[in-house]
Amino acid sequence: MTKITIKRPDDWHLHLRDGDMLGETVPATARCFKRAIVMPNLVPPVTTGALAMEYRSRITEAIPPGQSFEPLMTIFLTNETTPQTIAEAKALGVTAAKLYPAGATTNSDAAVSQLDYLQGVFEALAENKMPLLVHGEVTDHHIDIFDREKVFIESKLVPIVDRNPDLKVVLEHITTKEAAEFVLAASDRVAATITPQHLLLNRNDLLVGGVRPHNFCLPVLKRNTHQEALRKAVASKTHKIFLGTDSAPHEKSKKENACGCAGCYSAWSGIELYAQIFEDLGILDHLEAFASINGPKFYDLPINSDTITLEKSAWQIPKEIILPNGRPIVPFFAGETVAWRLVDGSK
């Protein structure tokens, strides 16, 4: 197969950032994705429906003329979030709520430190038909960073799911065998997103031959046995796992730093990398379901009617991209050759 046309995909986990950065991230996303779940971990975080709508306006202003793109907004849960916060956000058009354990990732220090206090919020999410999106890691210092997802699922997520059978839950950017097994064994109200980096790489790609800061993301890359488990789960063609790039831009200087930022900026190559992965797994026929159908069905949204076309044509990801502020950013897989190219992205 040298060409594939699929219904226009959506990105169900995306960081656009704010301010001048939107001039880079929004066009990069809108080139092929029709919708995207936009993460709320700004500084300060997007904690209410009103803040989400203000952020949405800034995003829509950055959409290039002639492009069709819809940001699906989320709010950032804190210890102060109430059921009223959820009801008001839903009324304003917010799609979902994001649960970050405090300190788990970029700009998450203000997030939840006491999950037990949020039971009323979880009930309100279920009542308002708003999915709970979970960054699934504990942050206890005595827990090894490579075990944090596994421990979170066992100690935190299982009780949340068991106590809230009507709540839809997305375990974001899964990285472990245990996460894949949990999602596949759970009810259809539990799903997961998976990133290109966690399918393509393992922790050797982060640490062997020197630290590779542009492969550093959170949750961190795991050993190759977990990578293979993720690839096997995707190859099963399950409807419970769908596209979420977790594209997360940082300026080059903030990545190549004594305390470098976590995140891989994959917006300009995400759909092409997924196509390459799916071809390698022998499931290119499943790309449309993964990228364009499973997510909308889980979120009870319409499947896009327009299409994109990818062609088997090698190209090289740029080594750097210059941001609107003139500073460079290093994209994910910078300088690497990709087998598939987007040749027709619907407007």
Side-chain angles (χ1 to χ4, degrees):
M1 186 181 296
T2 59
K3 187 176 286 191
I4 180 172
T5 296
I6 63 172
K7 292 186 181 299
R8 191 171 170 192
D10 305 298
D11 190 342
W12 298 99
H13 186 115
L14 177 69
H15 298 268
L16 290 172
R17 307 306 187 203
D18 206 354
D20 289 346
M21 185 76 82
L22 295 176
E24 161 60 27
T25 58
V26 174
T29 300
R31 73 188 182 97
C32 65
F33 293 114
K34 183 71 169 279
R35 297 169 292 206
I37 287 282
V38 180
M39 293 295 105
N41 57 328
L42 304 183
V43 179
V46 180
T47 54
T48 68
L51 289 172
M53 292 303 105
E54 291 172 10
Y55 184 28
R56 187 182 191 279
S57 294
R58 299 194 295 274
I59 294 168
T60 56
E61 288 174 1
I63 299 172
Q67 288 282 10
S68 172
F69 175 67
E70 181 183 4
L72 302 175
M73 307 311 295
T74 63
I75 61 168
F76 181 107
L77 298 181
T78 72
N79 294 336
E80 285 71 48
T81 306
T82 67
Q84 175 94 9
T85 309
I86 300 304
E88 291 172 353
K90 176 67 175 182
L92 288 171
V94 171
T95 299
K98 182 62 184 281
L99 173 62
Y100 292 101
T105 190
T106 303
N107 302 336
S108 64
D109 291 344
V112 177
S113 59
Q114 297 292 335
L115 285 180
D116 293 343
Y117 294 164
L118 290 185
Q119 179 55 30
V121 169
F122 298 150
E123 292 170 2
L125 287 170
E127 182 179 344
N128 285 278
K129 300 188 185 309
M130 293 173 65
L132 174 67
L133 315 182
V134 179
H135 181 114
E137 291 187 288
V138 296
T139 55
D140 310 75
H141 289 298
H142 68 282
I143 303 296
D144 189 286
I145 192 170
F146 294 105
D147 296 329
R148 290 182 173 184
E149 184 175 86
K150 175 179 180 291
V151 173
F152 182 91
I153 292 168
E154 294 170 347
S155 64
K156 309 294 185 183
L157 189 56
V158 168
I160 291 172
V161 170
D162 287 348
R163 283 198 300 264
N164 300 277
D166 295 327
L167 175 63
K168 282 191 171 183
V169 176
V170 180
L171 183 54
E172 307 265 40
H173 42 50
I174 60 173
T175 68
T176 59
K177 175 176 180 286
E178 290 82 7
E181 290 173 346
F182 168 76
V183 170
L184 294 178
S187 76
D188 279 353
R189 302 194 76 77
V190 177
T193 57
I194 195 164
T195 73
Q197 62 263 28
H198 289 107
L199 292 169
L200 282 166
L201 308 178
N202 59 64
R203 66 189 189 183
N204 282 357
D205 299 292
L206 175 64
L207 299 170
V208 172
V211 176
R212 310 298 174 90
H214 299 287
N215 288 345
F216 175 52
C217 57
L218 288 172
V220 70
L221 296 169
K222 304 300 193 296
R223 64 170 66 241
N224 62 350
T225 52
H226 292 291
Q227 178 193 9
E228 287 306 312
L230 298 180
R231 291 168 69 92
K232 182 178 179 181
V234 169
S236 74
K237 300 186 179 181
T238 175
H239 65 282
K240 303 187 70 177
I241 300 177
F242 39 85
L243 187 153
T245 63
D246 194 19
S247 181
H250 294 283
E251 292 178 6
K252 180 180 180 180
S253 62
K254 293 181 179 179
K255 291 288 286 181
E256 298 177 4
N257 190 287
C259 187
C261 296
C264 299
Y265 182 52
S266 59
W268 280 113
S269 59
I271 192 63
E272 294 91 340
L273 288 171
Y274 282 118
Q276 182 168 306
I277 293 161
F278 277 51
E279 182 182 38
D280 290 345
L281 292 173
I283 55 165
L284 199 54
D285 63 322
H286 180 59
L287 181 63
E288 182 176 66
F290 173 83
S292 313
I293 296 173
N294 294 347
K297 284 188 173 181
F298 184 84
Y299 278 86
D300 295 321
L301 292 170
I303 295 167
N304 298 323
S305 58
D306 50 342
T307 63
I308 65 167
T309 298
L310 295 156
E311 183 178 78
K312 191 75 175 289
S313 175
W315 63 286
Q316 189 178 61
I317 297 174
K319 292 184 178 180
E320 289 186 353
I321 293 168
I322 303 302
L323 294 170
N325 63 12
R327 298 190 186 110
I329 187 169
V330 177
F332 178 61
F333 247 45
E336 298 291 331
T337 298
V338 184
W340 289 85
R341 180 194 297 267
L342 180 72
V343 293
D344 180 19
S346 296
K347 302 294 190 288

